Amino acid sequence: MLAKTYSATVDGIAAIPVTIEVNTVPVQSESSVRKIVVGLPDSSVKESFSRIEAALTNSGFLVPPEQITVNLAPGDIRKEGPGFDLPIALGILMANGLVPTTYAERFMLLGELSLDGSLQPIRGALPIAIKARELGYEGLIVPQQNVHEAAVVNRLKVFGADNIQQVALFFSGQAEALAPTLIDTRAEFYAHQGEFSLDFADVKGQDNVKRAFEIAAAGGHNLIMVGPPGAGKSMMARRLPSILPPLSLAESLETTQIHSVAGQLKGGTGLITERPFRSPHHTVSQVALVGGGANPMPGEISLAHNGVLFLDELPEFQRATLEVLRQPLEDRKITVTRAKYSIEYPCNFMFVASMNPCPCGYYNHPSKPCQCTPGQIHKYMNKISGPLLDRIDIQIEITPLSFNELSRTQPGEPSATIRERVIAARKIQEERFSSLTGKDRIHCNAQMTPALMRQYATPAPEDMTMLRDVINRLQLSARAYDRILKVARTIADLEGVATIQTHHLAEAVGYRNLDRETWGN
């Protein structure tokens, strides 16, 4: 007998519907039993029969010996993961007449089966829920651990099941076996915004660095800090999300999709309401950073989408690993292409990095002598390529605090106050770019194209002359020139000024501390 159930697989952060066709043929003896899965299944799908057989037996279902053929359509798309266990098992029950097929076409099914018939969580429940609603399914049945994640999708009934018995009873007409999970998505989203455990009020002194962080947050600019150990580089970087504008509902949904596909959402988690902050160790591989692998997964740059990617001790990272960041920093997306697949992940993130000024860490320190030779300092700085530094808008030098500053009991300016100014500047930018739609849509100054820069970030002729002299003297690249104008535009927005003025350009030029010709002079 033939039965059909419906599920989906994840490609990038999107879902592709999959029809599971189960055909059973009774056999006379156990030796004649054959179980086949076709439709480009991976190893975890091929192994599903062992789990399903034990799960059905231990759940009290008597399945006669038979030849079973399972087809996962469409057959030209690779199917990965154990999430097809539940729809295959239910298809076997339907094909044997143990469960009616009445509701089969109305629901999409996901779930990994344990040997006792209980359901285990799977990756990608959120994008699959979005696809189920898009295709007009009445509901989605997922493991209980994934129900909160999938239920944020409105206009779709999402049922959480603990085991296959509940699903079988539900499909047999006992509606009380499963209850839909209802979530007021907007209410939950706004209820959890603005909760931060780290605050800039804890940072003493370092006003110039906090100013650089405010500008970076206001314009979405990349930033690097250079300073000796213990100067507070990591401390300030970890507080950056507390001054960034809150996530919009659309940004939150997209961010949650990526974390769902990566299996990074904890049980009971709905939408992500805080901007991500990712800080991989310097031993991270290229694949872990940009994504991919035998079973493609989003990398750290995609997990930082709509948030912050912080690389501490930047020169300690492998140079080849850092170089793969160059294109994503420009394109704000990454296309991972291998022999068997090509997947695109979004990666619109703020890049923040920190580093020591030299191998010993004390070059330009006000009190501790540097033990490094000029050659050692030059070699250390050359670990970071010029093209990568060019893509970092703000380059700020950090100096250690004196005892008087450290012992000051008065707290610094709180994150909430800084965040208000950042939000006001972002609103100006949103209005400025509101006429752009589709692929041209941008949200902050750091994303401006050359055409938009000519329209919104062109200084007066006398200021352009001053800037030309600076560019020539410092021998800056064309990309550095663009960065200066973008940062100047953001400084003007923080002041609420319509045109870029001389002091805006002067401050923006001051944030190019690491340009090769000026470093150390």
Side-chain angles (χ1 to χ4, degrees):
M1 182 177 174
L2 176 65
K4 291 183 180 181
T5 56
Y6 300 89
S7 188
T9 188
V10 175
D11 180 53
I13 63 168
I16 299 175
V18 176
T19 300
I20 293 92
E21 299 174 319
V22 180
N23 188 67
T24 60
V25 178
V27 295
Q28 299 301 318
S29 64
E30 290 285 348
S31 60
S32 303
V33 172
R34 292 178 59 209
K35 299 178 177 68
I36 304 171
V37 183
V38 297
L40 280 185
D42 72 347
S43 298
S44 60
V45 181
K46 292 178 181 178
E47 294 170 352
S48 62
F49 276 123
S50 300
R51 294 189 297 269
I52 291 170
E53 186 176 22
L56 292 177
T57 301
N58 293 325
S59 299
F61 296 103
L62 298 177
V63 179
E66 55 194 354
Q67 179 177 313
I68 302 175
T69 302
V70 176
N71 179 40
L72 307 176
D76 60 342
I77 295 174
R78 187 169 177 80
K79 320 301 187 305
E80 298 172 346
F84 295 105
D85 287 5
L86 179 60
I88 291 175
L90 202 65
I92 292 173
L93 294 178
M94 289 178 177
N96 282 282
L98 301 176
V99 172
T101 61
T102 312
Y103 299 110
E105 294 186 355
R106 294 161 53 183
F107 292 89
M108 195 174 272
L109 303 164
L110 299 167
E112 175 186 351
L113 284 172
S114 293
L115 299 186
D116 61 356
S118 61
L119 290 172
Q120 299 300 316
I122 48 89
R123 296 187 293 110
L126 178 55
I128 292 174
I130 294 172
K131 177 58 69 172
R133 182 183 65 180
E134 178 186 320
L135 295 176
Y137 283 91
E138 179 181 327
L140 174 70
I141 298 176
V142 296
Q144 192 65 48
Q145 298 94 322
N146 294 112
V147 69
H148 205 77
E149 166 192 347
V152 300
V153 179
N154 297 323
R155 303 189 304 278
L156 178 73
K157 294 180 182 178
V158 179
F159 300 86
D162 293 314
N163 52 60
I164 192 172
Q165 296 101 317
Q166 293 178 343
V167 181
L169 289 172
F170 181 78
F171 273 71
S172 297
Q174 299 184 33
E176 68 278 4
L178 296 176
T181 299
L182 302 176
I183 294 178
D184 187 337
T185 305
R186 291 184 177 274
E188 180 175 278
F189 173 70
Y190 291 112
H192 293 89
Q193 280 198 333
E195 300 175 354
F196 299 101
S197 57
L198 302 175
D199 196 290
F200 267 98
D202 303 327
V203 180
K204 298 176 181 179
Q206 304 292 11
D207 293 335
N208 63 321
V209 184
K210 287 192 282 189
R211 167 67 173 174
F213 270 92
E214 180 179 338
I215 295 169
H221 302 289
N222 303 322
L223 178 146
I224 186 170
M225 297 168 284
V226 184
K233 301 186 293 294
S234 300
M235 178 186 184
M236 283 185 277
R238 295 185 184 281
R239 284 157 174 75
L240 178 57
S242 68
I243 65 172
L244 288 172
L247 283 170
S248 67
L249 190 56
E251 286 177 325
S252 176
L253 190 62
E254 188 176 33
T255 303
T256 308
Q257 280 184 259
I258 297 171
H259 286 250
S260 172
V261 170
Q264 296 281 330
L265 292 180
K266 298 178 181 179
T269 301
L271 287 174
I272 292 175
T273 57
E274 291 186 12
R275 293 190 180 273
F277 182 89
R278 305 294 299 187
S279 181
H281 191 258
H282 64 258
T283 55
V284 67
S285 67
Q286 292 186 37
V287 172
L289 191 63
V290 302
N295 294 322
M297 295 277 285
E300 289 290 337
I301 62 174
S302 295
L303 293 171
H305 182 62
N306 291 323
V308 178
L309 177 70
F310 175 52
L311 300 188
D312 200 6
E313 302 298 342
L314 192 65
E316 301 304 322
F317 287 77
Q318 293 291 328
R319 182 171 177 135
T321 301
L322 292 179
E323 292 306 296
V324 301
L325 289 174
R326 286 159 57 173
Q327 185 176 353
L329 284 171
E330 291 288 333
D331 298 342
R332 303 186 184 274
K333 62 182 180 181
I334 178 72
T335 302
V336 181
T337 303
R338 301 291 183 267
K340 294 184 178 180
Y341 63 82
S342 179
I343 291 178
E344 182 176 288
Y345 294 113
C347 56
N348 182 16
F349 59 91
M350 277 185 64
F351 177 52
V352 179
S354 70
M355 61 182 291
N356 294 331
C358 66
C360 78
Y362 297 107
Y363 178 69
N364 275 349
H365 194 282
S367 58
K368 294 186 178 181
C370 174
Q371 305 297 323
C372 306
T373 65
Q376 288 175 318
I377 296 174
H378 183 72
K379 182 179 179 181
Y380 185 77
M381 294 300 299
N382 272 338
K383 290 183 178 181
I384 315 300
S385 70
L388 181 60
L389 283 177
D390 266 354
R391 288 167 167 82
I392 301 177
D393 307 3
I394 297 177
Q395 305 164 357
I396 186 75
E397 194 171 355
I398 242 179
T399 54
L401 297 176
S402 65
F403 177 79
N404 290 335
E405 290 174 308
L406 283 172
S407 59
R408 190 174 64 183
T409 58
Q410 183 180 359
E413 188 176 29
S415 292
T417 304
I418 303 173
R419 196 184 200 198
E420 288 178 2
R421 297 195 295 267
V422 169
I423 292 174
R426 284 287 184 109
K427 284 183 178 178
I428 294 173
Q429 295 165 50
E430 286 286 347
E431 293 175 3
R432 176 182 298 138
F433 306 129
S434 60
S435 60
L436 302 175
T437 58
K439 293 183 178 180
D440 297 329
R441 184 81 170 110
I442 65 172
H443 302 278
C444 58
N445 290 332
Q447 300 173 356
M448 282 194 294
T449 62
L452 291 173
M453 288 177 59
R454 287 192 297 270
Q455 185 174 356
Y456 299 113
T458 300
E462 59 273 17
D463 293 329
M464 188 63 80
T465 301
M466 180 272 292
L467 182 59
R468 181 192 62 200
D469 294 340
V470 171
I471 295 294
N472 290 336
R473 185 172 70 252
L474 300 181
Q475 299 182 26
L476 301 181
S477 69
R479 187 178 283 114
Y481 164 76
D482 287 346
R483 264 41 184 186
I484 290 172
L485 290 181
K486 290 178 181 180
V487 172
R489 177 67 269 172
T490 300
I491 297 171
D493 289 339
L494 281 167
E495 292 185 7
V497 178
T499 58
I500 295 176
Q501 299 174 7
T502 304
H503 65 283
H504 302 147
L505 289 170
E507 184 175 2
V509 170
Y511 294 127
R512 302 302 304 179
N513 286 1
L514 287 186
D515 290 303
R516 299 297 186 187
E517 289 76 14
T518 62
W519 175 254
N521 293 340

